[in-house]
Amino acid sequence: DTGVSQNPRHKITKRGQNVTFRCDPISEHNRLYWYRQTLGQGPEFLTYFQNEAQLEKSRLLSDRFSAERPKGSFSTLEIQRTEQGDSAMYLCASSIRGDLSSGANVLTFGAGSRLTVL
Amino acid sequence: AQSVSQHNHHVILSEAASLELGCNYSYGGTVNLFWYVQYPGQHLQLLLKYFSGDPLVKGIKGFEAEFIKSKFSFNLRKPSVQWSDTAEYFCAVRENNRLAFGKGNQVVVIP
């Protein structure tokens, strides 16, 4: 499968625990995005990387959230001291950097990691 | 910052009916616009996109969308829906190097 892969697909945790999600983008894509989606809402931007550099973070990304992309390939999103309000689907997407005709700005999404905080 | 508005969040229609989903964005400059679809149990998939040129864009599965700059709109249409079009549809606009999404339209097609 050459698409965007996310693990785990489902995570149930107790409030206060830490969780980590992993995203493996399409191999030739140098941009990687994290979004969050709750019921009845569209995806909300959290952060994005170009190669290993984290170029933008949303105000939604509180201090308890941290994302890394150490070698410019896979990425992890960690949530510390989870709260019930963190329950959501966490989506990863990737794209290529380039001109629009090359397909830049077209995000390919993974299936998501669903977090339930009890 | 841009924002995307989608109306009629829940749409129920019968097979062979026509579908039109509204999308309005707030931005006066060059825009890149997208419609994504999420079928039940599946991930978000690109339906169609507008970057420049012909404002009438054709996508997969018989969908099309029309960019009307004067109305800040990018409405999605399909002349005759099928049961398999049951899904959630999201309009999105590019903000710098990321996409901003609307809240989505839940479409249910009754056989």
Side-chain angles (χ1 to χ4, degrees), chain B residues 8 18-19 21 27 56 80 90 93 102 107 109:
Chain B
N8 302 323
S18 64
L19 173 68
L21 302 177
Y27 184 65
L56 186 61
S80 177
F90 295 94
V93 63
V107 175
V109 180

Side-chain angles (χ1 to χ4, degrees), chain B:
Chain B
Q2 306 186 52
S3 68
V4 180
S5 296
Q6 292 184 244
H7 319 292
N8 302 323
H9 295 294
H10 298 277
V11 177
I12 302 174
L13 59 166
S14 300
E15 277 192 317
S18 64
L19 173 68
E20 181 161 2
L21 302 177
C23 174
N24 289 95
Y25 61 91
S26 58
Y27 184 65
T30 302
V31 292
N32 300 146
L33 294 157
F34 307 79
W35 276 96
Y36 278 81
V37 61
Q38 189 167 26
Y39 297 104
Q42 297 188 26
H43 60 280
L44 278 163
Q45 303 170 42
L46 181 69
L47 201 53
L48 48 78
K49 63 185 185 292
Y50 172 79
F51 285 169
S52 64
D54 189 344
L56 186 61
V57 179
K58 294 194 184 296
I60 60 172
K61 304 187 180 186
F63 284 90
E64 65 179 29
E66 184 174 14
F67 170 55
I68 303 179
K69 188 174 181 179
S70 61
K71 295 184 177 180
F72 298 90
S73 70
F74 189 56
N75 293 353
L76 180 71
R77 297 192 293 253
K78 185 169 183 177
S80 177
V81 295
Q82 300 174 315
W83 173 77
S84 58
D85 293 321
T86 293
E88 194 155 14
Y89 295 81
F90 295 94
C91 182
V93 63
R94 182 174 65 89
E95 283 186 357
N96 298 317
N97 294 312
R98 55 182 167 86
L99 299 188
F101 287 84
K103 291 187 176 183
N105 297 103
Q106 181 66 55
V107 175
V108 175
V109 180
I110 300 171

Side-chain angles (χ1 to χ4, degrees), chain A residues 20-90:
Chain A
T20 300
F21 300 115
R22 175 177 169 129
C23 172
D24 289 87
I26 293 173
S27 58
E28 61 266 29
H29 285 186
N30 48 19
R31 285 186 173 163
L32 186 148
Y33 300 78
W34 286 100
Y35 280 79
R36 181 175 68 186
Q37 187 176 17
T38 53
L39 200 61
Q41 301 293 320
E44 297 171 297
F45 171 77
L46 293 178
T47 188
Y48 96 94
F49 293 83
Q50 183 164 297
N51 299 315
E52 66 276 10
Q54 189 173 19
L55 297 186
E56 187 176 354
K57 292 194 291 186
S58 163
R59 281 174 288 181
L60 291 175
L61 216 62
S62 75
D63 292 345
R64 298 183 297 104
F65 288 70
S66 62
E68 294 183 342
R69 194 183 183 197
K71 297 182 180 179
S73 56
F74 73 92
S75 175
T76 57
L77 176 69
E78 181 182 17
I79 309 173
Q80 296 182 325
R81 306 181 302 282
T82 53
E83 300 173 357
Q84 288 184 326
D86 297 331
S87 296
M89 178 74 86
Y90 289 86

